[in-house]
Amino acid sequence: MKRKARSTAAACACLISLTALLSCTSSEDWEIHADESPQALAETWGIEVPESMVTTKFYSSDVGFQGDGDFIRELKLPEQDQTGRWSPEAFQEPVDTALADTVISESGAELTTAQLSHARCRPTLNKDDYDRLMLCYDAATQTYYAFESLF
């Protein structure tokens, strides 16, 4: 009988502690936010990203527990650092409008595929059959775009 009383008391104490913890935190404390820095691309995709690259605009869908979601980064890079992977000449593919439309829609971006009419892209990177990254460059605006879809 004493054992049952102790386990009931312990269970009640756990519930009270959990209730107190939940009431002390807001729902914002539990939200997961995407990393908008260009260096997040290096971490996720294993690509080199110059330290001088900066995000000028960032759009994000809701972010899942494991960091999944749809993200667009508008990026700028000083001309002297536009070499290798980031050389404007390395961007030769047309925009994958299906991928761009999906990521634009899901992320709530203030962007349309029509605005990307001058953009050229590198081949889309795929990881785990679901995750996709399309890097594009618009010579008219000297803006790089990273369209990222993670599941």
Side-chain angles (χ1 to χ4, degrees):
M1 190 66 145
K2 285 184 179 180
R3 187 183 318 181
K4 186 174 183 180
R6 272 189 262 164
S7 64
T8 302
C12 288
C14 286
L15 285 173
I16 291 169
S17 297
L18 180 60
T19 303
L21 175 65
L22 290 175
S23 66
C24 291
T25 60
S26 70
S27 63
E28 289 180 10
D29 294 337
W30 296 94
E31 289 181 18
I32 298 172
H33 298 280
D35 182 352
E36 65 184 67
S37 75
Q39 283 65 37
L41 297 171
E43 294 168 16
T44 304
W45 295 94
I47 60 174
E48 290 185 35
V49 176
E51 289 295 320
S52 59
M53 182 171 267
V54 295
T55 302
T56 57
K57 291 184 183 175
F58 180 72
Y59 304 98
S60 172
S61 65
D62 290 337
V63 181
F65 181 70
Q66 296 180 333
D68 52 310
D70 292 287
F71 316 103
I72 298 175
R73 290 173 182 82
E74 290 186 24
L75 306 158
K76 291 289 187 178
L77 183 63
E79 192 172 333
Q80 70 269 14
D81 295 333
Q82 294 179 2
T83 61
R85 171 182 297 278
W86 300 100
S87 170
E89 293 79 28
F91 294 79
Q92 297 295 320
E93 303 283 324
V95 173
D96 177 342
T97 55
L99 175 60
D101 281 336
T102 299
V103 177
I104 288 169
S105 173
E106 293 295 321
S107 67
E110 299 167 1
L111 186 66
T112 65
T113 51
Q115 291 172 291
L116 300 170
S117 62
H118 298 288
R120 301 302 289 170
C121 305
R122 292 184 55 84
T124 300
L125 298 176
N126 297 291
K127 185 170 64 170
D128 301 330
D129 295 326
Y130 300 106
D131 301 338
R132 300 180 75 194
L133 173 66
M134 180 174 62
L135 298 173
C136 302
Y137 178 72
D138 186 337
T141 62
Q142 297 183 345
T143 301
Y144 291 89
Y145 295 91
F147 293 87
E148 190 175 21
S149 186
L150 302 174
F151 289 100

